[in-house]
Amino acid sequence: MFTGIIEAVGEITALDNLGQDIRLSVQTGKLDMSDVNLGDSIATNGVCLTVVDKGDNYYKADVSQETIKHTGFAHYNRGSKVNLEKAMRPDSRFGGHIVSGHVDGVGTVEQINEHSRYVEIWVKAPDSLAKYIAHKGSITVDGVSLTVNEVKGASFMLWLIPHTLKETVIGHYKVGTQVNLEVDLIARYLERLMLGDKAANPESQVISMRFLAEHGFLK
């Protein structure tokens, strides 16, 4: 489990082919690796990866074909910058929101508008995720816990302060950049809970306008 508060920006130094999978090597920058053990989790651009090898300033993790298919790892190369966060401790400060490290989809940066004290960024999410993105709700973008400031269909807007731009890879975004998205975990559970007893029926897995009307949520 993570909080979405980035601890360091790392750099991919190798992507070694393991058949259909890859072994990722990451130079960890200022991330403190002294308390990281083999088998621990590190969120890498929002993707929960298991450490299989480590040193004072690097770690290696295996990335499956499934992860490559459903995240931005398909677009990463040697030299790509990545946000890093170690798994949260039960006695640490919870500064962001609940982040699982399980990416729901890949979005695309649509607009970047610079203002005097912040940068406005619009991201287009996959249509299937639009229902989980709410005004003033939380969303994870490349592992960063952020607040949604405006929503238009499947597109949403973020305001980024200078500190966030400096301390994360968001400062390197350009129009067209592919980003990992994880929606608010509470929204996922709420959708499931609203199915009630029908959750056990494979044919009742999608909440539709008809479903909401039948159960008194719409008038």
Side-chain angles (χ1 to χ4, degrees), residues 6-10 26 28 31 42-44 59 82-86:
I6 301 306
E7 298 178 84
V9 173
V26 179
T28 53
L31 189 71
I42 296 179
T44 307
Y59 68 91
V82 286
N83 291 321
L84 303 178
E85 181 191 355
K86 293 184 289 187

Side-chain angles (χ1 to χ4, degrees), residues 3-4 15 42 59 75 117 121 123 133 138 145 153 169 183 192 198:
T3 70
L15 293 161
I42 296 179
Y59 68 91
H75 307 283
R117 289 293 300 156
I121 296 180
V123 177
I133 302 171
S138 296
S145 172
V169 301
V183 299
R192 186 72 173 172
K198 290 187 176 182

